[in-house]
């Protein structure tokens, strides 16, 4: 596993973004692990997060695209931080764009904030995590309504490595259904590999008991 991935896993733990316990995902699945990017709460954390996303995007897609689209609400700071990191580390100017949950009818009107999306733009979508692929069904119509747009790919922070609506992984389903390449900074398999029975800051985060719960979750929701 690349060093930056190990660092990112530890970064998520340090920020309280990667948690273990009893949670329910947006898709209604009870899960022993949860990723909540809302816990990145300082400028320093967002700056570092943007750097990890920028590296993952550059490795998977390169930087031949125009707009980084972050769906409201959590995608808004992700798109801003990552577009800044791309400029700082790769000297490439990328526009950022997000949607509003409600269309604004005065001042800066419309459903978008940040840069408009124009005909011919190449767009990369940035999200926190995809479980069952439900959010992309809300995001793509908004982007496609802006014109003749090429959606290059989707990047998430963590690939949960579980089924979407069918038997394939959520990211694979998105890739097949919409023709969009997908990538993640890390996968949950890499998270488990790095943390299982290995002390971090004097504590074993994934012990045998938690590993049993994770295995049981994947027995139910893992890719067959």
């Amino acid at each position: 596993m690349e060093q930056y991935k190990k660092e990112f896993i530890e970064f998520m733990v340090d920020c309280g973004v990667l948690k273990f316990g009893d949670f329910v995902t947006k898709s209604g699945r009870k899960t022993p692990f949860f990723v909540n990017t809302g816990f990145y709460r300082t400028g320093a954390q967002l700056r570092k997060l943007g750097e990890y996303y920028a590296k993952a995007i550059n490795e998977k897609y390169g930087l031949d695209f125009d707009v980084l689209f972050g769906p409201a609400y959590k995608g808004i700071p992700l798109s801003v931080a990552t577009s800044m990191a791309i400029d700082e580390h790769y000297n490439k100017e990328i526009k950022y764009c997000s949607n509003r949950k409600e269309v604004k009818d005065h001042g800066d009107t419309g459903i978008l904030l940040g840069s408009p999306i124009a005909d011919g733009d190449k767009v990369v979508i940035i999200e926190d995590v995809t479980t069952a692929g439900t959010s992309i069904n809300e995001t793509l119509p908004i982007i496609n309504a802006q014109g003749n747009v090429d959606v290059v790919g989707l990047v998430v922070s963590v690939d949960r490595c579980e089924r979407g609506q069918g038997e394939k992984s959520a990211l694979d389903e998105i890739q097949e259904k919409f023709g969009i390449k997908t990538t993640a900074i890390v996968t949950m398999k890499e998270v488990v590999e790095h943390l299982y029975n290995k002390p971090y800051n004097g504590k074993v985060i994934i012990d045998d008991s938690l590993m049993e719960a994770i295995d049981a979750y994947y027995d139910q929701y893992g890719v067959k």
Side-chain angles (χ1 to χ4, degrees):
M1 188 191 316
E2 297 93 325
Q3 182 62 29
Y4 85 92
K5 293 190 174 189
K6 297 177 182 178
E7 293 173 1
F8 179 65
I9 293 167
E10 294 170 3
F11 173 63
M12 287 193 292
V13 172
D14 292 342
C15 294
V17 167
L18 175 61
K19 293 179 177 293
F20 297 92
D22 296 309
F23 308 96
V24 178
T25 68
K26 184 178 180 180
S27 56
R29 297 175 179 176
K30 294 182 179 180
T31 173
F33 54 89
F34 198 74
V35 178
N36 184 354
T37 55
F39 278 85
Y40 295 118
R41 292 174 172 172
T42 71
Q45 289 172 343
L46 283 174
R47 180 174 181 171
K48 198 167 183 179
L49 176 63
E51 292 172 359
Y52 287 120
Y53 266 111
K55 187 171 184 65
I57 290 169
N58 186 46
E59 285 191 354
K60 178 69 175 185
Y61 309 119
L63 300 174
D64 182 23
F65 66 98
D66 307 289
V67 181
L68 192 59
F69 185 91
Y73 290 103
K74 290 180 181 177
I76 297 174
L78 299 182
S79 64
V80 173
T82 305
S83 61
M84 293 173 69
I86 291 173
D87 175 70
E88 180 179 355
H89 294 279
Y90 301 99
N91 196 30
K92 170 73 174 181
E93 190 169 80
I94 299 292
K95 297 177 285 187
Y96 81 91
C97 179
S98 297
N99 63 295
R100 294 183 171 95
K101 289 290 189 178
E102 298 176 355
V103 178
K104 189 176 179 184
D105 60 3
H106 62 280
D108 182 16
T109 59
I111 196 171
L112 301 182
L113 51 83
S115 171
I117 299 175
D119 278 348
D121 276 347
K122 296 179 180 179
V123 180
V124 170
I125 301 171
I126 184 169
E127 291 197 31
D128 55 349
V129 63
T130 295
T131 302
T134 51
S135 62
I136 196 74
N137 291 300
E138 303 168 1
T139 300
L140 273 177
I142 296 171
I143 297 174
N144 290 331
Q146 309 310 310
N148 184 18
V149 176
D150 178 14
V151 179
V152 175
L154 165 70
V155 59
V156 298
S157 60
V158 180
D159 177 0
R160 290 177 58 98
C161 300
E162 60 193 75
R163 295 198 312 274
Q165 304 297 327
E167 296 301 314
K168 297 183 178 181
S169 75
L171 290 183
D172 283 346
E173 284 184 354
I174 290 169
Q175 190 159 313
E176 283 192 9
K177 182 177 180 179
F178 301 107
I180 299 172
K181 294 180 181 178
T182 59
T183 194
I185 303 173
V186 294
T187 67
M188 269 307 298
K189 291 180 181 178
E190 290 170 328
V191 170
V192 171
E193 175 189 335
H194 186 55
L195 295 179
Y196 177 48
N197 274 344
K198 298 174 184 175
Y200 176 64
N201 286 341
K203 179 183 177 182
V204 174
I205 297 172
I206 302 180
D207 57 14
D208 289 337
S209 176
L210 180 56
M211 192 66 234
E212 287 182 11
I214 294 173
D215 285 340
Y217 183 77
Y218 281 115
D219 284 343
Q220 184 173 5
Y221 294 114
V223 177
K224 302 300 182 182

